[in-house]
Amino acid sequence: MNFYKFKNKQMPWGDYGNTLLVGYAFHNDDQTQILVERTGPFVPPVYNWGRMLLISDSLKQVLETTDLKGFTFQKTVFKKIVNIDWTNWDLNAADPKSYPAGGEPENYILSRKHHPETADLMEAIWCLELDDQTLTGRQKDTSGKTNLFLIENSWTGNDIFITKGAGYIYFSEKAKTWFEANGNGFANFEPFQSKVATPEEIEIANEYIKPIPQKVDPFAHLTPKDWKTYQKLIAQANKFILKSKNDQTEKAKLLSLKKAIESFKSAQQIRPLGKKEQQQLDQLSASSG
């Protein structure tokens, strides 16, 4: 089988050109909308931002008439559109027609204000929602370098898809051919290796994508007052231990150690003792018993 990963149109001027082409796209806080910040009024027929494949409204209308499989459409929201029609610049020049304020590429977008009039002139932009059930395998070559491959026996049969194990957007041969013919030069592709994987390779791929358990702070519930009391009790226990070393009688010494034990145990009611403090308590309890 032949598979390809999508690549944006090659732009001049490095990060400056890439920022002019794709801008930014991201989900809102509750993940219900895809927000777009970019230049206008020109909208590329197709481009990607991360694992999002974005297309113009006119390309969507044609794409909907095909039998390509594996996607639905979500309309994006124009959060910030800046008026820079870079398509009229000389793309063969060594430098862009103008550099952004401050010299950083992202300032083409960040340092400018939203321009509603430009946004009104633009085509809608749609994001293709893609399935991610295909697996990405990993194998080391003779040099020890890890190479990625698509696991053909996990492929869902969709023409455009993402995977659980790598951050690319993948195309079948059929989808690649269609986008090359209809993307007006904005769809580029790079071959991506694939193979039928062994059960062991599938197991490794599944292990790799298992979510990393979130570390739980066992002391998150403690208030500043709790911490202060805990530290005071530990200091008090150490004070009684030090006092026991200077006590003149055995009775006074035992009383000091008893109070140290009580202080450690009171601290223990607030939170588990640290390793050092637990060892001290264990030693005191053993000697007093």
Side-chain angles (χ1 to χ4, degrees):
M1 296 182 184
N2 294 326
F3 294 101
Y4 305 84
K5 67 178 182 181
F6 181 87
K7 298 182 70 176
N8 284 320
K9 176 183 174 69
Q10 182 67 42
M11 288 287 290
W13 318 313
D15 289 342
Y16 294 100
N18 292 332
T19 302
L20 292 168
L21 175 68
V22 304
Y24 302 97
F26 49 92
H27 284 90
N28 64 346
D29 290 341
D30 62 7
Q31 304 293 301
T32 58
Q33 295 180 324
I34 296 172
L35 308 179
V36 166
E37 296 185 350
R38 62 161 297 112
T39 60
F42 174 73
V43 173
V46 57
Y47 66 99
N48 83 286
W49 173 259
R51 284 159 66 88
M52 298 181 191
L53 188 69
L54 301 139
I55 64 173
S56 66
D57 188 66
S58 56
L59 187 64
K60 171 183 176 283
Q61 293 178 37
V62 184
L63 181 58
E64 287 178 308
T65 67
T66 72
D67 60 353
L68 295 175
K69 298 183 299 182
F71 48 85
T72 56
F73 301 98
Q74 180 178 349
K75 191 175 183 179
T76 68
V77 176
F78 289 161
K79 184 175 187 293
K80 187 177 187 181
I81 300 299
V82 300
N83 183 18
I84 305 178
D85 192 2
W86 56 266
T87 59
N88 292 322
W89 297 2
D90 181 1
L91 301 184
N92 294 314
D95 297 294
K97 183 177 179 179
S98 66
Y99 282 100
E104 297 299 328
E106 58 267 26
N107 285 344
Y108 276 131
I109 312 295
L110 301 183
S111 68
R112 293 172 178 250
K113 294 182 179 180
H114 175 62
H115 198 260
E117 294 80 5
T118 300
D120 290 341
L121 297 173
M122 293 170 61
E123 291 187 70
I125 296 177
W126 298 80
C127 181
L128 272 64
E129 297 185 319
L130 306 173
D131 115 68
D132 67 351
Q133 297 308 299
T134 302
L135 294 174
T136 305
R138 285 165 168 74
Q139 61 185 7
K140 289 189 177 181
D141 59 24
T142 54
S143 68
K145 178 182 177 182
T146 299
N147 294 314
L148 302 178
F149 62 92
L150 290 176
I151 295 178
E152 293 180 8
N153 38 330
S154 72
W155 178 45
T156 57
N158 289 322
D159 291 298
I160 308 174
F161 57 96
I162 55 180
T163 69
K164 295 179 180 179
Y168 302 118
I169 301 171
Y170 301 94
F171 280 59
S172 67
E173 183 80 48
K174 184 178 179 181
K176 168 183 174 289
T177 300
W178 189 90
F179 271 82
E180 284 178 332
N182 294 275
N184 197 27
F186 283 83
N188 292 310
F189 299 92
E190 182 178 306
F192 200 89
Q193 64 180 335
S194 66
K195 73 172 187 174
V196 175
T198 65
E200 291 76 17
E201 289 171 323
I202 292 175
E203 183 178 354
I204 291 171
N206 280 315
E207 283 293 323
Y208 185 84
I209 60 177
K210 281 185 177 179
I212 299 173
Q214 294 292 319
K215 291 185 177 180
V216 178
D217 182 0
F219 311 125
H221 65 287
L222 297 182
T223 66
K225 183 179 179 181
D226 291 332
W227 278 107
K228 187 174 181 179
T229 302
Y230 173 84
Q231 292 166 345
K232 181 178 179 181
L233 288 166
I234 295 299
Q236 186 173 280
N238 287 320
K239 180 179 178 181
F240 281 123
I241 292 173
L242 183 61
K243 180 177 180 300
S244 71
K245 296 177 181 179
N246 297 314
D247 284 333
Q248 299 300 311
T249 67
E250 189 65 23
K251 183 177 179 180
K253 180 177 180 180
L254 289 174
L255 181 61
S256 295
L257 292 178
K258 180 181 178 182
K259 290 182 177 180
I261 291 172
E262 290 174 351
S263 295
F264 276 133
K265 287 185 175 180
S266 295
Q268 202 172 38
Q269 297 302 309
I270 299 174
R271 54 150 283 184
L273 297 176
K275 184 177 179 180
K276 176 184 175 182
E277 289 75 20
Q278 186 63 56
Q279 288 176 342
Q280 287 177 303
L281 176 58
D282 292 342
Q283 290 171 357
L284 290 175
S285 299
S287 62
S288 65

